[in-house]
Amino acid sequence: MKILVSVKRVVDYNVKVRVKADGTGVDVANAKMSMNPFDEIAVEEAVRLKEAGIATEVVAVSAGIANCQETLRTALAIGADRGILIETDVELQPLAVAKLLKAVCEKEQPQIIICGKQAIDDDANQTGQMLAALMDWPQAAFASKVIVANGKATVTREIDGGLETIEIALPAVITTDLRLNEPRYATLPNIMKAKKKPLETLTPEALGIDVSPRLKTLKVAEPAKRAAGIKVADVAELVAKLKNEGVIA
Ligand code: AMP
């Protein structure tokens, strides 16, 4: 069974991003970039399925600028077998990515595609769901446990107020939640080995996909600054202040 994994290059989760002065977006010019954390979980899960003898090949796919190769190499160092870069300078929105992934699914015919539940840069949480709709495949989003057997996946999902377990027929789309697994660190020998693994480059044009943006960002702004706090001498003063300011009756 072949498993596809989508991996997005995003600003590292430790970086505190700044809004550009003209409010058109976020300044990431010199920021450290990494694989989207939910996608690391996706790669880890696919590699574990391979180690368990369930998957035979794990293919990582990334769409974006040429530097996304680094993200693919990280996936290869975790244990993916080969990578596919869909190279474009266009800023990709979820529908465009879903269409690109659909084209790759049609070409590669995987039984499962594992995506992250959301990319931590735009927090869209749309791509996996759109892909499932475009492919007309079952989907299990926000997975915290995945068991694959007999042409089916049994997936425990994190939902409001608890967990839900569903069974879906393959081929299917699964998106990862935080508790699915703890991704391994890529070891130096595996980073070296990853350099020799195959990495194919495609383009949206070659796949026949129009990736032009369909949404326009009107304005990006910093969250309002919190007002400075004050110190009170004792509980009596605190209660008096809360009453005066209408916080308590
Ligand atoms: P989003 O819908 O943007 O929050 O992204 C959800 C998931 O879709 C991510 O965790 C990735 O697995 C995948 N994805 C989004 N954008 C890309 C991209 N440019 N290249 C590869 N995968 C992507």
Side-chain angles (χ1 to χ4, degrees):
M1 166 187 312
K2 188 191 285 187
I3 301 186
L4 230 64
V5 191
S6 55
V7 294
K8 185 175 186 188
R9 179 177 185 266
V10 297
V11 175
D12 188 89
Y13 71 97
N14 285 309
V15 171
K16 194 176 174 320
V17 290
R18 276 176 202 285
V19 171
K20 286 184 191 161
D22 62 3
T24 56
V26 169
D27 188 4
V28 293
N30 297 309
K32 179 176 179 224
M33 306 296 284
S34 299
M35 186 189 299
N36 182 42
F38 292 106
D39 300 346
E40 279 186 57
I41 296 173
V43 179
E44 175 68 34
E45 195 64 18
V47 171
R48 285 188 192 185
L49 285 167
K50 189 175 171 200
E51 288 166 347
I54 295 163
T56 47
E57 192 183 24
V58 177
V59 183
V61 186
S62 190
I65 60 170
N67 287 348
C68 295
Q69 280 189 24
E70 292 162 14
T71 317
L72 285 168
R73 291 284 170 209
T74 307
L76 299 175
I78 297 173
D81 297 293
R82 61 188 170 92
I84 300 176
L85 167 67
I86 309 166
E87 193 176 338
T88 175
D89 290 336
V90 176
E91 202 173 310
L92 297 170
Q93 294 176 348
L95 182 59
V97 178
K99 287 180 182 170
L100 292 171
L101 293 176
K102 174 175 187 259
V104 176
C105 282
E106 283 165 351
K107 194 164 170 282
E108 294 284 340
Q109 305 274 317
Q111 283 296 292
I112 305 178
I113 173 158
I114 312 181
C115 308
K117 77 164 178 183
Q118 73 194 57
I120 60 163
D121 50 2
D122 55 19
D123 273 347
N125 181 357
Q126 294 172 4
T127 308
Q129 295 89 327
M130 285 177 169
L131 173 64
L134 293 174
M135 293 301 290
D136 199 18
W137 281 1
Q139 61 173 305
F142 317 133
S144 63
K145 188 170 177 197
V146 174
I147 299 168
V148 179
N150 308 322
K152 295 192 175 114
T154 307
V155 180
T156 304
R157 309 181 50 233
E158 306 228 352
I159 57 167
D160 276 354
L163 296 173
E164 176 188 60
T165 302
I166 59 169
E167 191 181 78
I168 50 171
L170 304 181
V173 177
I174 296 175
T175 76
T176 61
D177 216 321
L178 211 53
R179 274 169 280 268
L180 180 58
N181 62 49
E182 228 176 90
R184 70 195 71 182
Y185 286 105
T187 59
L188 190 59
N190 285 344
I191 293 172
M192 299 312 287
K193 269 191 225 155
K195 291 186 201 266
K196 297 209 179 94
K197 290 188 181 177
L199 202 161
E200 179 187 1
T201 302
L202 303 170
T203 60
E205 297 73 35
L207 293 169
I209 307 294
D210 174 11
V211 290
S212 17
R214 307 188 21 158
L215 305 170
K216 192 171 155 208
T217 302
L218 299 180
K219 187 171 170 237
V220 177
E222 298 265 359
K225 291 244 181 314
R226 283 180 61 180
I230 52 161
K231 275 192 180 170
V232 290
D234 50 28
V235 174
E237 191 188 342
L238 174 66
V239 173
K241 274 208 177 299
L242 291 176
K243 278 190 179 162
N244 276 346
E245 281 160 36
V247 180
I248 55 171

